Amino acid sequence: MSTTTERTGRNAGVARQRPRRRAGVTGPGVRAGQVGLTVLVLIAWELLCRVGVIDDFFFPRPSEILKTVWEWVGSGFVFPHLLITLEEAALAFITGAAAGLLLGFLLARVHFLEQLFEPFLKMFNALPRVVLAPIFLLWFGLGIWSKVAFGFTLVFFIVFFNTLEGVKSVDRVLIDNARMLGASERQLLRHVFIPSALTWIFSSLHISVGFAITGAVVGEYLGASAGMGYAIAQAQGVFDTTGVFAGMFILMFVVLIIDLLVNRVERHLLRWRPTNNG
Amino acid sequence: MRQPDQTEAPDYAVELNACSKEFTTPHGGTYQAVQDIDLKVEPGRFVSIVGPTGSGKSTILHMAAGLLEPSAGTAASFGVPVRGVNRRASYMFQQDALLPWKTVIDNVSLGLTMAGVPKPEANDRARRWLEKVGLKNFTDRYPHQLSGGMRKRTSLAQAWIVDPDILLMDEPFSALDVQTRQIMENELLALWQESGKAVVFITHDLDEAIALSDEVIILGAGPGSTVVGRYDITIPRPRDLLEIRDDPQFVELHREIWGRLKIEVSRTYQSTVRQEGGAA
């Protein structure tokens, strides 16, 4: 191979990057094992329910759950709810991430502002965000905006702190080099800070996508007229545990698919990074 | 020492007058890195700075580049005081300073594109430079896919493409193996020869300094190190770097300069040993 991988140890630019899991590196043996394990657990669950070891009022049989999922999907019942939840999550994610990125970059570049805002940001971050849900409900009503506001507070802090850290941890030499080559503050941002902070921002995106959906669902659960959280709360209200589990499984799959998409984008934008085995 | 005389002094490419630099330590104290540094480099001259570890060599270069402001003294370039980054200088860092998210060609053309040169033209010129440093087949690689020597060549092209009047080089080849290093030194001299550019070259390797330079400056042991010796290197050019170490003039100069440098190196060594002994 013509690409030698001589490492100087001073190679700060890439050595600094944290190792991360990569999708698609699992071998066929591992895949088979994973499928086998899933099937095994589901069969054991089903059997233990049938012989009465597990109470299927609290832990409904997998077959029942799948049937309910099928019904909800087949009848189209779930889609309006899912759409509302995803809409809330998307709005919370977009506004939260945008505000987090903007403020993160600003505070990382203007030291005075960072010092000024630090205690307040710490305070708000220390607040358990769930307690905000009731007050948002009063402020913004039962519609989607109380959920968006709640999701926003969850997403914002993760993206903000990661961006701040990402920009501040940029290698000094890279900044100096770009400045010597004539970079203006704007060019520094574009060529050095943003790409360098991307690894941090992406690790926060994975978490914050999940949090945006969590925010939406929890908000709906506390008070709404539509959405997955509402559907689950309705099922719980009539002691329909199968419905609760069905809602859980549907959400789980949707979040998995979204995470896969984030992975795709990440792999494209971070293609310059050395892979662990390359 | 010659007094700086504004009326008849030529415009030096790099001019540090009695420059000192203090740093604040994390514990609130101050650390004097360098003291009373006078450095004058005429356009087209190749000057090396040699000194023991911790003698503030990089600090001097940073002051010349405008990346650090001297605590006392003045820095000027071509008669103009250095404020902010010195735009007539390029800097080649000891560490890898290529942007890891840009391909080789984008790294090399960066200085041009940031100055507003249209992308196609910048790429053409970058390609010519990459050919010059022997990397024309690697234009679309990312830095981590290159060897250490190839990364240094990319850095060299990146620094030279903007056609600076001054090249500040901070131990650029210290991370390379001996063979690659000699090749790089040869390439550097070939590029510099008759380019009219002033070079300030930092190294801890006296052989390298003598072989490349018109003048070798010796720094004393830190902290608060200052210039303890200046030597003109009169070995005629062009020089054959592979043979130069057997040249009688080289041997004589090396013996003389090493006699001075040795004292500083052993002072640094002893103070390190003392500190470690004290800490244990």
Side-chain angles (χ1 to χ4, degrees), chain A residues 133-192:
Chain A
I135 196 75
F136 284 161
L137 214 54
L138 289 176
W139 286 351
F140 302 110
L142 284 179
I144 67 166
W145 293 107
S146 56
K147 288 84 193 169
V148 173
F150 180 48
F152 174 91
T153 62
L154 292 173
V155 172
F156 169 78
F157 282 98
I158 300 168
V159 176
F160 167 74
F161 282 115
N162 270 288
T163 306
L164 187 67
E165 202 49 47
V167 174
K168 277 165 60 181
S169 66
V170 173
D171 200 337
R172 185 80 231 168
V173 172
L174 298 186
I175 304 170
D176 283 345
N177 192 30
R179 286 180 61 205
M180 288 306 297
L181 291 168
S184 63
E185 186 71 12
R186 220 192 68 225
Q187 286 167 329
L188 270 185
L189 200 66
R190 176 171 154 213
H191 294 291
V192 183

Side-chain angles (χ1 to χ4, degrees), chain A residues 70-140:
Chain A
W70 188 248
E71 273 169 28
W72 283 16
V73 173
S75 68
F77 158 77
V78 76
F79 293 116
H81 292 298
L82 200 56
L83 214 65
I84 291 279
T85 302
L86 288 181
E87 190 188 343
E88 291 159 357
L91 283 169
F93 174 77
I94 291 165
T95 52
L101 284 175
L102 209 71
L103 206 66
F105 273 112
L106 190 68
L107 264 58
R109 293 303 292 150
V110 186
H111 190 57
F112 171 74
L113 289 180
E114 192 201 347
Q115 287 178 314
L116 184 69
F117 281 115
E118 201 205 352
F120 304 110
L121 288 161
K122 283 237 170 82
M123 252 166 55
F124 281 113
N125 190 39
L127 186 74
R129 241 53 57 68
V130 184
V131 305
L132 291 174
I135 196 75
F136 284 161
L137 214 54
L138 289 176
W139 286 351
F140 302 110

Side-chain angles (χ1 to χ4, degrees), chain A residues 3-4 177 187 191 195 272 274, chain B residues 97 101-102 114 141 144 147 158:
Chain A
T3 58
T4 38
N177 192 30
Q187 286 167 329
H191 294 291
W272 50 270
Chain B
W101 42 84
K102 285 191 187 292
M114 288 197 303
R141 299 288 178 92
H144 79 267
S147 69
Q158 188 187 49

Side-chain angles (χ1 to χ4, degrees), chain B residues 83-99:
Chain B
R83 289 206 209 303
V85 166
N86 186 349
R87 284 292 153 88
R88 298 183 72 165
S90 270
Y91 201 120
M92 219 179 133
F93 292 84
Q94 182 179 6
Q95 308 92 320
D96 265 335
L98 297 173
L99 297 176

